[in-house]
């Protein structure tokens, strides 16, 4: 029996490009409020991104006891947004993605994702996050995504 590799990578979550311009219709302030409601004592900080020249929200949240993840979000206009998690496993990303899909995005079909592993291999098209299913099912999709680009 082979053990699954617990790859750490960055995951980015985006609204779809072709949803009629609606995207998530969110702001960084709305995301901050949602993070504060969902996760105990998150750390949040606004800063100006030198790379993108826009205000971003950096956050650190506790997904489970002693399991912390870091992320950055940008929502420069109503029809565009991204949230990036840094150095996470598929399991950690799946917990966040489930929350994002079920509690923040205005509809479950409005979340796509990509990984830095995929981008490093030339893949630029985000995959759709399943519109239904629990965290284990989302983790399976994230692992399949990573497996399609991982070459041990």
């Amino acid at each position: 029996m082979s053990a699954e590799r617990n790859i750490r990578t960055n995951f980015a979550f985006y609204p779809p490009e072709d949803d009629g311009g609606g995207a998530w219709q969110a702001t960084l302030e709305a995301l901050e409020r949602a993070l504060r409601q969902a996760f105990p004592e998150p750390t949040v900080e606004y800063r100006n991104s030198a790379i993108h020249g826009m205000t971003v929200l950096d956050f650190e949240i506790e997904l489970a006891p002693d399991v912390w993840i870091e992320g950055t979000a940008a929502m420069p206009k109503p029809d565009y947004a991204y949230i990036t998690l840094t150095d996470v496993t598929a399991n950690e990303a799946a917990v966040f993605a489930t929350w994002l899909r079920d509690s923040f995005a205005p509809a479950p079909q409005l979340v796509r994702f990509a990984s830095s592993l995929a981008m490093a291999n030339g893949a630029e098209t985000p995959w759709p996050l399943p519109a239904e299913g629990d965290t284990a099912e989302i983790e399976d999709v994230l692992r399949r995504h990573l497996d399609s680009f991982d070459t041990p």
Side-chain angles (χ1 to χ4, degrees):
M1 174 163 52
S2 68
E4 287 187 5
R5 294 183 62 217
N6 207 15
I7 299 168
R8 288 196 165 276
T9 188
N10 299 342
F11 277 97
F13 299 95
Y14 312 90
E17 289 178 311
D18 300 324
D19 74 342
W24 295 336
Q25 293 295 309
T27 64
L28 292 177
E29 293 79 12
L31 177 62
E32 177 187 358
R33 282 191 303 277
L35 290 170
R36 289 187 185 283
Q37 288 176 349
F39 301 98
E41 300 181 38
T43 301
V44 295
E45 180 179 293
Y46 292 88
R47 68 176 169 85
N48 188 32
S49 170
I51 296 172
H52 302 297
M54 66 180 83
T55 301
V56 298
L57 176 70
D58 292 329
F59 61 89
E60 183 177 32
I61 55 174
E62 187 176 27
L63 292 180
D66 297 321
V67 178
W68 291 83
I69 63 168
E70 294 179 6
T72 298
M75 298 178 184
K77 48 189 178 174
D79 61 348
Y80 178 72
Y82 70 83
I83 300 171
T84 302
L85 304 180
T86 306
D87 194 32
V88 293
T89 65
N91 173 267
E92 293 163 347
V95 172
F96 182 84
T98 303
W99 170 81
L100 178 67
R101 180 197 68 187
D102 295 347
S103 300
F104 187 72
Q109 75 278 10
L110 295 182
V111 181
R112 300 176 304 145
F113 73 94
S115 69
S116 57
L117 181 63
M119 290 180 208
N121 283 285
E124 296 181 13
T125 303
W127 289 28
L129 195 70
E132 52 189 45
D134 63 11
T135 300
E137 292 171 279
I138 291 176
E139 179 182 356
D140 184 56
V141 171
L142 297 178
R143 283 188 183 276
R144 282 196 320 258
H145 169 85
L146 293 177
D147 288 347
S148 69
F149 299 104
D150 183 37
T151 51

